[in-house]
Amino acid sequence: AMSVQPAGLPGNTVILLDLNYTLVANSELKRRQAGSYAEKIGAETYRAWLVEMMRGYTVALCTVRHVRYEAQTLERLLLQTGWRPDMALFNPDPNEHRGEVVKRAYLQDQLFPRFGFPDAQPYLAIESATATRAMYESFGILAVRQEACRAGLPSLARRGI
């Protein structure tokens, strides 16, 4: 069944979804775990309530995680939740770990050309990192932490979209 879409969030909204500390439920635990990064992904859990809330929307998973872990991550996500994002953007640059830099490139090089600019296309970013939320906001994109979505996805009404 389709989730009920909030009045202030248009059905064509593209959700820009952060992975670590947002979709991943056990990031804190994972950071303390021993083992390889691949082994840590194998123990990842995801916020099922957030997946349910996003059903019916176009979701672009935007992560600083290196592209070599893309297949494993998406397989794990599908196995754990029965869901996969409409688009997945993993980091091609092993030397750049700043979310606000990596994700700005995703916006400019891939997301805006595909979906349109925020003046005409509604976006919502669900993002853990303060600097990355500020970068999204600089483009006029509402950016919130996952905690702000517990009671429902926020309205874009204040954006005048």
Side-chain angles (χ1 to χ4, degrees), residues 78-154:
L78 186 61
L79 183 73
Q80 292 286 303
T81 66
W83 175 84
R84 67 166 60 240
D86 300 283
M87 188 175 185
L89 299 171
F90 282 72
N91 187 1
D93 185 352
N95 299 311
E96 182 55 77
H97 302 287
R98 290 170 297 169
E100 67 274 21
V101 174
V102 171
K103 296 179 188 187
R104 179 184 285 116
Y106 295 164
L107 285 178
Q108 293 173 325
D109 301 343
Q110 303 192 59
L111 292 159
F112 293 161
R114 178 167 172 181
F115 298 109
F117 288 90
D119 58 344
Q121 166 62 50
Y123 288 92
L124 169 66
I126 307 176
E127 170 62 51
S128 62
T130 306
T132 307
R133 287 197 307 274
M135 180 277 295
Y136 283 133
E137 294 274 355
S138 76
F139 286 96
I141 295 171
L142 177 62
V144 299
R145 296 167 58 94
Q146 57 84 12
E147 290 89 340
C149 301
R150 279 308 304 232
L153 295 176

Side-chain angles (χ1 to χ4, degrees), residues 43-97:
E44 245 174 19
T45 60
Y46 306 99
R47 295 185 212 278
W49 65 266
L50 187 55
V51 169
E52 286 309 310
M53 214 166 266
M54 295 184 301
R55 285 192 196 276
Y57 291 99
T58 298
V59 179
L61 184 66
C62 299
T63 179
V64 176
R65 183 173 294 178
H66 193 265
V67 71
R68 81 168 146 269
Y69 300 110
E70 179 173 0
Q72 184 192 1
T73 301
L74 294 176
E75 279 167 31
R76 174 80 183 163
L77 182 57
L78 186 61
L79 183 73
Q80 292 286 303
T81 66
W83 175 84
R84 67 166 60 240
D86 300 283
M87 188 175 185
L89 299 171
F90 282 72
N91 187 1
D93 185 352
N95 299 311
E96 182 55 77
H97 302 287

